[in-house]
Amino acid sequence: MPHVKETLDELKKRGYEMGIVTSRLSESCEMWLKDLEIEDYFNAVIGNENYRHAKPAKDCIIRACEIMGHGHDAVVYTGDNPHDVETGINAGVYTVGFVSDWEKKEAIENSKPNVMIFDFSELIKVLNVDHAWTYEQS
């Protein structure tokens, strides 16, 4: 995906802590991140062995918050499918729907994220806006 590494660089430079929650095993995701040479950007990888109920249950986000030492009100959760958006909403976190596949655009939009982005670099603009980091539908 375009602009991912540059965006991760900028987020890290600004002091954001980043984690991944995945339906895969942590080890599998960590290998994938290493292959993409982006493993050093993430403070935590939360695989399915670390939480009890699968997405769209909020367990994975709550577990990530526990591991990373942050409350859910400090989280911006970005996902590229409706299931991810539902997970963020269920956890009460500010939820960004990332349209990486135009065939999923309508479904992501219908899942009602706080905001939608179409290029990963737009995440920087989202974080520059001053708003409460909880899920509030407008």
Side-chain angles (χ1 to χ4, degrees), residues 23 28 33 36 38 43 47 72 90 94 100 103 105 109 129:
S23 324
S28 169
L33 293 171
L36 293 172
I38 58 174
N43 302 80
H72 79 283
N90 290 338
Y94 192 86
S100 61
E103 290 181 15
K105 179 188 178 288
E109 188 171 38
V129 175

Side-chain angles (χ1 to χ4, degrees), residues 11-42:
L11 293 174
K12 190 165 188 155
K13 186 168 72 175
R14 292 183 184 198
Y16 286 98
E17 290 185 42
M18 294 175 277
I20 292 181
V21 294
T22 179
S23 324
R24 302 174 177 206
L25 290 171
S26 297
E27 186 177 359
S28 169
C29 185
E30 289 165 354
M31 288 177 12
W32 176 71
L33 293 171
K34 189 171 183 162
D35 287 345
L36 293 172
E37 299 178 353
I38 58 174
E39 74 274 13
D40 292 336
Y41 294 104
F42 299 98

